[in-house]
Amino acid sequence: EDQVTQSPEALRLQEGESSSLNCSYTVSGLRGLFWYRQDPGKGPEFLFTLYSAGEEKEKERLKATLTKKESFLHITAPKPEDSATYLCAAFTQGGSEKLVFGKGTKLTVNP
Amino acid sequence: DADVTQTPRNRITKTGKRIMLECSQTKGHDRMYWYRQDPGLGLRLIYYSFDVKDINKGEISDGYSVSRQAQAKFSLSLESAIPNQTALYFCATQGTSTDTQYFGPGTRLTVL
């Protein structure tokens, strides 16, 4: 069964305190690994897609990396406006192409 | 204007009522999806459509039906709503030349 697990479930950081969110996946065939940001009461907002092990992508204070078993979302010197839930999703290939989501990591950055 | 819109944004209804949630998009994408989100369970796929004549069940389709009225419109119906269908519902779209799904703002549905 395809599965995506995110850890930790919740993370509290002080402004400027860098950290990483983890996404481990077990899928029959990975076509791509996605990261989304979701603010309360809103739809997920696309951040990154990673396709192959070793690939990295950056956007402002966020950097996403991918290995054969997991992905990390590194947050460097976070600000309060980075507070949100970060969702990881694996796009599976094969018989039924679909996005399999993790449960998310709720990030709170205190000023 | 938003590329993916959902109506209504909030709905409170009673057990047994028929409910329709609507999704419209201006992105020109062929593929459309319906998900529900519950606290602690993440996003789960209900139905998806790769074009107007192609409708597929997702992992939790029981109790739901869909209609793809046009390339830009995809509706989700709850034929007889029950309390455990209380959730956030999201529509998403995807182009055929990209793997990225773009989400609407969501509909918060409460079934009493």
Side-chain angles (χ1 to χ4, degrees):
Chain A
E1 180 184 351
D2 297 329
Q3 195 168 359
V4 175
T5 303
Q6 292 188 245
S7 61
E9 292 184 7
L11 180 63
R12 285 187 174 271
L13 299 174
Q14 289 298 122
E15 185 171 3
E17 179 186 2
S18 301
S19 188
S20 297
L21 313 182
N22 177 263
C23 170
S24 62
Y25 59 91
T26 307
V27 297
S28 53
L30 181 72
R31 180 163 161 165
L33 192 291
F34 290 75
W35 284 96
Y36 287 84
R37 169 189 170 130
Q38 186 175 23
D39 292 300
K42 295 188 176 182
E45 176 188 348
F46 170 71
L47 291 173
F48 304 109
T49 311
L50 301 165
Y51 287 103
S52 55
E55 188 175 359
E56 298 183 352
K57 289 194 175 172
E58 290 188 63
K59 181 180 180 179
E60 296 181 353
R61 295 174 292 282
L62 301 177
K63 182 170 78 172
T65 62
L66 181 66
T67 73
K68 290 186 178 180
K69 294 183 178 180
E70 56 192 349
S71 178
F72 293 93
L73 184 65
H74 307 278
I75 304 175
T76 302
K79 298 182 178 181
E81 53 262 42
D82 295 321
S83 298
T85 295
Y86 291 86
L87 304 175
C88 170
F91 193 68
T92 66
Q93 60 185 8
S96 59
E97 296 179 349
K98 60 182 180 181
L99 269 181
V100 179
F101 281 87
K103 297 178 181 180
T105 292
K106 183 177 181 180
L107 174 67
T108 303
V109 182
N110 296 314
Chain B
D1 289 339
D3 294 322
V4 184
T5 57
Q6 293 184 234
T7 55
R9 295 295 315 279
N10 289 282
R11 181 72 183 268
I12 300 173
T13 190
K14 295 182 179 180
T15 297
K17 294 292 187 180
R18 184 178 188 275
I19 296 296
M20 179 180 285
L21 309 183
E22 298 185 331
C23 176
S24 294
Q25 52 111 348
T26 59
K27 299 183 79 68
H29 289 168
D30 288 325
R31 300 183 177 189
M32 298 186 74
Y33 303 79
W34 276 105
Y35 292 88
R36 69 176 277 176
Q37 188 175 41
D38 300 272
L41 291 180
L43 280 156
R44 293 181 292 166
L45 183 63
I46 306 172
Y47 269 97
Y48 61 103
S49 169
F50 283 176
D51 65 40
V52 175
K53 296 181 179 180
D54 180 52
I55 304 287
N56 303 281
K57 293 182 177 180
E59 62 179 303
I60 55 163
S61 59
D62 288 347
Y64 302 94
S65 63
V66 291
S67 173
R68 186 82 184 265
Q69 300 95 323
Q71 185 204 38
K73 296 183 181 296
F74 193 34
S75 299
L76 176 72
S77 294
L78 287 67
E79 298 302 326
S80 179
I82 56 176
N84 76 359
Q85 291 178 313
T86 293
L88 266 172
Y89 289 84
F90 290 101
C91 173
T93 73
Q94 178 187 343
T96 51
S97 60
T98 175
D99 292 332
T100 302
Q101 291 186 17
Y102 296 91
F103 285 80
T107 294
R108 183 175 294 279
L109 177 66
T110 303
V111 183
L112 301 177

